[in-house]
Amino acid sequence: MTEEIEFILDSTKESMTGSIAHLEKEFLNIRAGKASPAMLGSVFVDYYGSATPLSQVSKISVPDARTITLQPFEKNMLHVIEKAIMVANIGFNPMNNGDVIIISVPALTEERRRDLAKQAKVEAEDAKVGIRNARKDANTDIKKLEKEGTSEDICKTAEDEVQNLTNSYIRKIDELLVVKEAEIMKV
C-alpha cells in the first residue's frame, strides 16, 4: 500500500480510538448505584472567575458505597461548591455541615436503572456515529487518491480495511454497552 493510504488508515484508527475513549469517559459519568468520585467529574466550580473542576478545589473521598464527601481546600468555597453541584443537575442533594459537604447517593429505583440504561445506549449510538463518520472520511480520501491515479485494486483493499476497522470498533462499542448495562441493572 502507498504511504498516503497508510496515513489515511492510521488517522482513521486514531479517530475511531478517540470515539471509544470518549464513550468510556461518558460511561464513567453514568452512575451505577455505587458512589464514586467520577460521578462529580462533570461539575465545575466558579473559582475566582474561572470554571475549575471540582477535584481541583476540594478533596473528594468515598467513605462508603452510598456517600461522597468533599473537603474544600478553602472554607469560603463550601457554598460555591454546593451551588455548583446543584446547578450541574446530576441528581444529588449536597448537605453542608460547616466543614465538609456530604452527598448521599440514593439507591437506584428500577425505573431510574432503565433510564440510565437508555442513556448508555444513546452514548453508545453517538460513538457508533463517530466511527461511521471516520469511515466516511477515510473512504472519501481513498476515492480522491483513486482519482489522482492510485491503482483501483489498492484503493479497494484500503476500503475493505477501513470497513474491517469499522466493524471491529462497532463490536467493541457493543461489548462496552453490554458490560455497562449489566453494571447498571445489577442491584
Side-chain angles (χ1 to χ4, degrees):
M1 270 191 240
T2 66
E3 264 185 48
E4 292 96 349
I5 289 182
E6 288 294 330
F7 177 76
I8 291 168
L9 292 175
D10 287 345
S11 63
T12 302
K13 271 185 202 167
E14 193 176 307
S15 177
M16 290 180 176
T17 303
S19 291
I20 297 283
H22 179 75
L23 176 65
E24 289 171 337
K25 185 174 175 246
E26 290 301 316
F27 276 178
L28 283 177
N29 291 335
I30 299 174
R31 68 188 185 95
K34 198 173 95 179
S36 159
M39 293 175 168
L40 300 173
S42 62
V43 179
F44 284 82
V45 178
D46 179 29
Y47 186 67
Y48 298 109
S50 66
T52 308
L54 187 58
S55 61
Q56 292 182 12
V57 296
S58 67
K59 177 181 171 233
I60 303 172
S61 57
V62 183
D64 61 58
R66 294 264 175 246
T67 310
I68 301 173
T69 60
L70 298 141
Q71 175 91 46
F73 298 137
E74 297 176 27
K75 208 164 191 137
N76 64 338
M77 293 299 293
L78 273 171
H79 294 293
V80 177
I81 291 172
E82 218 174 355
K83 185 178 176 194
I85 292 168
M86 299 284 240
V87 169
N89 197 19
I90 50 178
F92 294 140
N93 192 15
M95 294 175 290
N96 167 354
N97 72 3
D99 289 326
V100 295
I101 295 172
I102 301 165
I103 299 172
S104 290
V105 178
L108 295 175
T109 63
E110 185 66 26
E111 181 182 343
R112 182 68 179 136
R113 286 181 193 280
R114 279 196 215 101
D115 289 345
L116 290 173
K118 283 181 191 169
Q119 186 181 345
K121 281 182 184 164
V122 167
E123 294 298 342
E125 196 52 46
D126 287 347
K128 287 180 182 180
V129 167
I131 300 290
R132 291 183 194 116
N133 284 338
R135 175 186 61 191
K136 185 183 85 172
D137 293 343
N139 286 338
T140 302
D141 291 344
I142 291 169
K143 293 258 188 272
K144 277 184 198 167
L145 287 176
E146 192 175 344
K147 285 180 185 171
E148 292 171 3
T150 305
S151 143
E152 193 176 314
D153 290 342
I154 291 175
C155 291
K156 178 67 176 135
T157 304
E159 286 177 357
D160 291 344
E161 181 64 28
V162 168
Q163 186 58 47
N164 290 339
L165 278 173
T166 303
N167 293 343
S168 70
Y169 278 92
I170 296 275
R171 247 189 324 277
K172 182 165 174 125
I173 288 171
D174 289 336
E175 291 165 6
L176 288 169
L177 178 62
V178 166
V179 169
K180 187 62 179 182
E181 283 181 324
E183 183 184 311
I184 290 170
M185 297 310 283
K186 189 174 86 181
V187 177

